[in-house]
Amino acid sequence: MSRVSTGPSVNPTTAHALLRRLHDHGVRTVFGVVGREAASILFDEVEGIDFVLTRHEFTAGVAADVLARISGRPQACWATLGPGMTNLATGVATSVLDRSPVIALAAQSESHDIFPNDTHQCLDSVAVMRPMTKYAVELQRPDDVTDLVDSAVAAAMTEPVGPSFISLPVDLLGSEIDTSLSHPEARTPAKPLGTVEEGWQEAAQRAAGLLGAAQHPVLVVGAAAIRSGAVPAIRALAERLSIPVITTYIAKGVLPQGHELNYGAVTGYMDGILSFPALETLFGPVDLVLTLGYDYAEDLRPSMWRRGGEKMTVRVSPTANPIPRVYRPDVEIVTDVRAFVEYLDSRTAALAAKTPHDITPLRERIAEFLADPRHYDDGLRVHQVIDAMNTVMAETAGAGEGTIVSDIGFFRHYGVLFARADQPFGFLTSAGCSSFGYGIPAAIGAQLARPGQPTFLIAGDGGFHSNSADLETIARLNLPIVTVVVNNDTNGLIELYQNLGHHRSHDPAVKFTGVDFTALARANGVEAARATSREELMAALRKGAGLGRPFLVEVPVNYDFQAGGFGALSI
């Protein structure tokens, strides 16, 4: 039997129906890598959907993840059968732990030849994907594809948001469908659907009482608050009552960078990086913690806010608490975050403003790092690099605009502390999954989501080169992303952990030989420069920001870390 299951057809096929329903749900881009299922789908069957070819399926998954995160709408990625699907799996894992409504699609062997682990390139893709998706299914009948897309979108857009997966046998993908079948109008939720517990207002009234009695309350905000549309309400409440706002990595930008009530994002590495008791300064005097859309996957652990004296805690989330072993709030409110904040605002109308606890020493320590004027013979320091990126981003971006993307590595935690974020999701990193190589595809997704705004990417040499082939994708799409590769020829975060555990490092496990990343960029069609001083870096960033096309800067760096100050990483 021919391996090409269908010939050209002028009649609608499953591929037409699939793309049409994705389009009905607002999908306009499919990222991916196509295999032999190209005999069944060209991706031009439906007007209004663009296929973005990537060099690796992981890139496709993460680009869809970030486009979905920023847009708040479902986005799609594609892989071929077998190894294409397994390559895509890390992108899918990223979207489940980083909470994005991704519709992941993969081809499968012909429906009559699906013998996982025996047929050529045939794996049980649904079994692979099911543990890390909200919904996973294999198409059995061509006429079902529209309904499967509807189910996938409904699951992906239900809190906690995450990916859905559909496996598509190549013969069924190319099969003609019954055009007489009618389907209801596609229903895509305006925002993610969450759980609303009956009587939540009573618990919210208790929270209002605790807020009234508190001297030094803080709001700890996670990404679910952004997804709920609660940011304007949070800002209004915080400003009216003078309540500081602290965020997870990914919720940076809920308040603009320079806002007096923006107490920053938290990382367990901050005490060690700053050689300063940052967590104690942030949380020590606090007597009430209200977590709004808090998600344990975002890596701000309850043990971090327990510093100092006893505190009451209130959890507000659109999902039931999945982690009672580590977070046992005094008040649990399961409802839409925006609805809660608006309710709390109305119930505290007569409440006097609070006196925020003083974090001046922490702010002065951060400012000291960013203003570091020293020249280091062995390379710049990452805080100097981020300060330069912040400066040029402020010169380039409009008010409340601009995105700084961080790949994964030790430098990422400098980004959490120091990087500018003047809008929700203005700083992007893989908080939940920490997927090595995240930077390039995340920057692609961010630039496509915000085409009129600048996107800067910071990446380490290790993570960047693990996925650097998609520099060509950036060049092909002519995306004006400014990439900064901080290069110490080392997996620096792993070197830190070696020192934490053994008080020494072992070079064969962390050290690389040199790569000329400027030459690599040029080979992929991206203009590049090397900067060895702050002055050279500023000039390069300004040039890149003004080009209107991709640009890369390689910066030799080094870290001054000591094994002390990282106790917050203990679980």
Side-chain angles (χ1 to χ4, degrees):
M1 180 176 290
S2 170
R3 293 181 60 173
V4 180
S5 57
T6 59
S9 173
V10 296
N11 297 319
T13 66
T14 304
H16 290 81
L18 171 71
L19 296 175
R20 187 178 304 115
R21 200 57 165 183
L22 288 171
H23 187 276
D24 290 345
H25 283 290
V27 174
R28 298 294 180 266
T29 306
V30 179
F31 302 91
V33 182
V34 186
R36 66 179 179 86
E37 70 278 5
S40 299
I41 185 169
L42 282 172
F43 290 97
D44 67 353
E45 287 84 352
V46 172
E47 226 177 289
I49 289 188
D50 294 323
F51 189 86
V52 173
L53 176 65
T54 59
R55 289 282 179 165
H56 197 281
E57 294 85 353
F58 169 67
T59 297
V62 172
D65 167 288
V66 169
L67 183 55
R69 178 187 314 283
I70 294 175
S71 69
R73 314 300 293 161
Q75 303 295 338
C77 54
W78 181 275
T80 193
L81 62 162
M85 178 274 300
T86 58
N87 282 345
L88 185 66
T90 305
V92 171
T94 302
S95 66
V96 74
L97 275 167
D98 289 342
R99 314 299 193 218
S100 291
V102 169
I103 310 302
L105 307 162
Q108 177 58 290
S109 299
E110 287 79 358
S111 57
H112 51 79
D113 198 31
I114 299 176
F115 302 107
N117 301 346
D118 288 306
T119 300
H120 174 70
Q121 284 196 312
C122 182
L123 299 166
D124 189 343
S125 55
V126 171
V128 170
M129 292 291 191
R130 182 176 287 122
M132 53 187 171
T133 55
K134 304 289 298 294
Y135 173 83
V137 67
E138 191 158 86
L139 180 68
Q140 303 292 327
R141 299 178 302 178
D143 292 331
D144 290 344
V145 71
T146 296
D147 296 329
L148 297 188
V149 172
D150 288 350
S151 295
V153 169
M157 287 292 288
T158 299
E159 291 283 5
V161 299
S164 290
F165 173 73
I166 304 175
S167 171
L168 298 152
V170 293
D171 59 326
L172 302 187
L173 187 61
S175 297
E176 293 182 8
I177 57 171
D178 184 351
T179 57
S180 68
L181 293 175
S182 62
H183 296 279
E185 185 178 345
R187 182 179 181 277
T188 314
K191 70 178 187 180
L193 304 174
T195 302
V196 178
E197 187 174 18
E198 186 176 357
W200 66 267
Q201 294 90 345
E202 182 179 342
Q205 189 61 46
R206 290 177 57 203
L210 291 176
L211 181 58
Q215 286 190 315
H216 295 303
V218 295
L219 306 179
V220 171
V221 182
I226 301 173
R227 295 194 295 270
S228 77
V231 171
I234 290 171
R235 180 168 182 171
L237 178 71
E239 290 177 341
R240 184 173 66 80
L241 295 178
S242 295
I243 304 175
V245 173
I246 295 171
T247 72
T248 62
Y249 302 175
I250 202 64
K252 271 172 69 80
V254 166
L255 293 184
Q257 190 74 11
H259 197 291
E260 64 179 358
L261 294 172
N262 179 4
Y263 277 27
V266 170
T267 166
Y269 296 80
M270 61 197 310
D271 286 14
I273 289 171
L274 296 170
S275 297
F276 184 87
L279 289 169
E280 178 68 31
T281 304
L282 283 175
F283 292 114
V286 171
D287 54 359
L288 177 66
V289 176
L290 290 92
T291 64
L292 305 177
Y294 168 75
D295 190 334
Y296 189 59
E298 291 173 38
D299 207 27
L300 194 171
R301 297 175 185 147
S303 58
M304 297 177 187
W305 69 59
R306 292 190 190 118
R307 303 304 174 98
E310 289 293 318
K311 0 189 159 292
M312 301 291 286
T313 55
V314 176
R315 177 183 181 270
V316 184
S317 176
T319 63
N321 185 5
I323 53 161
R325 285 186 296 167
V326 293
Y327 182 21
R328 294 175 179 165
D330 297 289
V331 179
E332 174 111 31
I333 303 165
V334 180
T335 192
D336 178 73
V337 177
R338 177 178 171 182
F340 166 80
V341 176
E342 291 173 347
Y343 181 91
L344 184 66
D345 190 50
S346 69
R347 290 301 185 275
T348 57
L351 195 62
K354 304 294 180 178
T355 301
H357 63 287
D358 185 19
I359 63 163
T360 300
L362 173 58
R363 285 175 164 161
E364 289 176 345
R365 183 62 172 156
I366 289 173
E368 181 183 346
F369 266 71
L370 290 174
D372 182 1
R374 287 171 289 180
H375 173 79
Y376 298 90
D377 291 336
D378 57 350
L380 273 75
R381 297 304 184 256
V382 173
H383 52 268
Q384 295 176 317
V385 174
I386 293 176
D387 180 57
M389 294 174 69
N390 287 342
T391 299
V392 178
M393 178 64 81
E395 295 170 355
T396 306
E401 294 187 346
T403 311
I404 294 179
V405 178
S406 175
D407 207 321
I408 308 307
F410 193 25
F411 62 90
R412 186 260 292 270
H413 299 281
Y414 288 74
V416 173
L417 285 173
F418 303 131
R420 176 187 187 271
D422 278 351
Q423 64 178 326
F425 302 136
F427 174 78
L428 291 167
T429 188
S430 180
C433 200
S434 288
S435 308
F436 210 46
Y438 172 89
I440 286 178
I444 290 171
Q447 189 65 69
L448 291 174
R450 296 167 171 161
Q453 300 184 27
T455 300
F456 289 2
L457 164 63
I458 182 168
D461 53 285
F464 181 79
H465 206 25
S466 76
N467 200 26
S468 59
D470 273 292
L471 268 176
E472 187 275 333
T473 304
I474 292 176
R476 178 170 18 99
L477 300 177
N478 196 33
L479 299 176
I481 296 165
V482 177
T483 298
V484 178
V485 180
V486 288
N487 185 9
N488 64 343
D489 294 325
T490 306
N491 279 340
L493 185 61
I494 311 310
E495 186 177 30
L496 169 64
Y497 274 102
Q498 288 180 335
N499 279 271
L500 290 177
H502 308 281
H503 302 287
R504 61 187 179 88
S505 59
H506 180 55
D507 286 355
V510 294
K511 293 290 185 181
F512 300 107
T513 54
V515 173
D516 185 341
F517 288 103
T518 61
L520 177 71
R522 295 184 192 110
N524 282 278
V526 175
E527 189 174 342
R530 195 167 188 268
T532 58
S533 68
R534 288 188 70 139
E535 294 74 22
E536 290 177 355
L537 176 57
M538 290 288 289
L541 288 171
R542 286 175 172 139
K543 176 181 177 179
L547 276 179
R549 59 180 185 271
F551 189 76
L552 180 144
V553 188
E554 180 182 357
V555 184
V557 299
N558 220 318
Y559 293 101
D560 296 320
F561 66 76
Q562 299 175 352
F566 296 96
L569 301 177
S570 299
I571 299 175

